[in-house]
Amino acid sequence: MEINITGEYIKLDQLLKFANLVESGSNAKELILDGYVLVDGVVETRRGRKIYRGMKVELNGESIIVK
């Protein structure tokens, strides 16, 4: 899936909500802190991680490419 952002970046937890991969911010926080989210193939545990265009985020077999 590709997600277009209008700003310079989007925070990781916001991206997961925007892409409808989580139901709530608290759900996103849990999944991120538990190590289920990959950013460019590496486990990311910071929910405020800035995600820029061209980066790839993965959760439960779903991939998001930020455009």
Side-chain angles (χ1 to χ4, degrees):
M1 147 184 0
E2 292 185 356
I3 297 289
N4 291 309
I5 60 173
T6 56
E8 181 182 352
Y9 65 86
I10 186 170
K11 291 184 179 178
L12 181 57
D13 58 347
Q14 294 171 339
L15 176 65
L16 295 177
K17 284 178 24 182
F18 185 72
N20 293 317
L21 293 182
V22 295
E23 296 176 10
S24 66
S26 60
N27 186 233
K29 179 181 174 182
E30 273 183 46
L31 291 170
I32 293 167
L33 291 176
D34 289 344
Y36 289 104
V37 180
L38 302 177
V39 175
D40 290 334
V42 178
V43 172
E44 181 57 69
T45 58
R46 297 172 292 169
R47 66 187 178 115
R49 166 77 186 265
K50 294 177 181 176
I51 306 299
Y52 297 91
R53 288 178 184 86
M55 296 178 87
K56 180 180 179 181
V57 175
E58 298 172 80
L59 172 63
N60 295 331
E62 293 284 336
S63 295
I64 304 166
I65 304 293
V66 178
K67 298 281 183 177

